[in-house]
Amino acid sequence: IRRNHAAGWLMGAGSPSGSDTDVSERGIVQGHAYALLRVEEVDGHRLVQLRNPWGQTEWKGDWSDRSRLWTPRMKAQLDWSAEDDGTFWMALVDFAENFSSLYVCRLPAPSWETLEAKGEWRGPTAGGCCNHPATYGHNPQFLLTVTRPTHVIIALAQADVRGSGGELFPIGVSCVYNKGARVSRLLQSHWSADSAPFRNSREVSLDTVLEMRGGGGSSVYTLVGSTVDPGCERGFSLRVFADAPGCTLEPAGS
């Protein structure tokens, strides 16, 4: 969360499912979206500032406007205000307990490189997720080469189904270190990051830092995008946003 905030990316949070006419005992509207404005660590306290877009109905627990935890120093450090405007502070631990989702709108800087590849799940290449070891390795795979530790955002988007009468498939993408080779199954020994859980969304993404591996001047990671079930046929695009130059993206050999 701190890295996202420092990068200037927009963030929001979703409370647990329910009707927005329901408010928890501590003031959190259920089934509701909040803006996440700031994240700070002051004197060992990890705090987040949120805003209810209604402009009212605020958190009532620790670090709320009327909390006794506020000291003159903390108020000065965080520009504290007690106005009933829907904006409030809360401890990170309370945030984790009272919200079920964190939303991030990532806006890579113009200096970031953008790489793109296209493919399709068709016939034998519609291999499904790693729960299907006999077919998972047949999915289209791509090799991403980095020449230094690189912060990347990897996005997998399935073809649009609007107007076709079709439905979105649950999809996911994994980034695996397998010494530049294709993968047939995901092993515990492989370093990997993924977009799990699979979601029937137009696009899914993962955000990670790729470290240098293997001792050479470059490291090659394998990207695998898939549907949950085998046999789900559709075209897709794979985009990689990288904060370091010199990255390449190419199809993995057979």
Side-chain angles (χ1 to χ4, degrees), residues 32-137:
H32 194 50
Y34 288 73
L36 202 164
L37 304 179
R38 293 174 61 187
V39 51
E40 304 286 350
E41 184 168 355
V42 179
D43 295 342
H45 301 292
R46 296 192 294 174
L47 306 177
V48 294
Q49 186 187 49
L50 297 103
R51 184 177 187 276
N52 182 344
W54 289 352
Q56 58 184 3
T57 310
E58 299 182 6
W59 168 248
K60 299 177 182 178
D62 287 350
W63 301 104
S64 62
D65 287 357
R66 294 178 175 80
S67 172
R68 295 183 179 182
L69 295 175
W70 286 104
T71 64
R73 172 180 166 80
M74 290 293 292
K75 290 179 180 180
Q77 290 283 321
L78 297 175
D79 301 320
W80 175 83
S81 172
E83 296 180 16
D84 185 17
D85 58 359
T87 302
F88 57 88
W89 290 92
M90 66 192 309
L92 181 63
V93 63
D94 287 325
F95 172 74
E97 290 179 355
N98 286 272
F99 288 87
S100 56
S101 302
L102 174 69
Y103 307 105
V104 183
C105 179
R106 299 176 174 89
L107 303 171
S111 60
W112 284 39
E113 287 194 347
T114 302
L115 309 171
E116 185 169 5
K118 295 185 180 296
E120 62 177 356
W121 300 297
R122 190 73 59 191
T125 68
C129 70
C130 62
N131 292 335
H132 305 278
T135 56
Y136 177 72

Side-chain angles (χ1 to χ4, degrees), residues 124-141 182-186 222 224-226 252-254:
T125 68
C129 70
C130 62
N131 292 335
H132 305 278
T135 56
Y136 177 72
H138 300 318
N139 282 299
Q141 301 184 26
R182 292 179 61 92
V183 296
S184 57
R185 54 189 179 134
L186 295 183
T222 306
V224 188
S226 72
S254 58

Side-chain angles (χ1 to χ4, degrees), residues 115-224:
L115 309 171
E116 185 169 5
K118 295 185 180 296
E120 62 177 356
W121 300 297
R122 190 73 59 191
T125 68
C129 70
C130 62
N131 292 335
H132 305 278
T135 56
Y136 177 72
H138 300 318
N139 282 299
Q141 301 184 26
F142 300 85
L143 302 181
L144 174 61
T145 302
V146 298
T147 58
R148 66 186 70 177
T150 304
H151 180 191
V152 297
I153 300 170
I154 300 169
L156 172 71
Q158 58 183 308
D160 198 348
V161 297
R162 287 178 295 182
S164 68
E167 297 183 355
L168 292 172
F169 297 133
I171 59 174
V173 59
S174 295
C175 177
V176 177
Y177 181 74
N178 194 35
K179 300 180 180 179
R182 292 179 61 92
V183 296
S184 57
R185 54 189 179 134
L186 295 183
L187 301 176
Q188 196 74 17
S189 59
H190 292 155
W191 180 93
S192 65
D194 58 48
S195 61
F198 279 71
R199 298 191 301 275
N200 56 338
S201 301
R202 174 80 166 81
E203 181 177 283
V204 296
S205 63
L206 66 89
D207 178 349
T208 190
V209 175
L210 301 182
E211 303 292 348
M212 300 302 295
R213 307 267 301 207
S218 63
S219 295
V220 183
Y221 289 82
T222 306
L223 308 184
V224 188

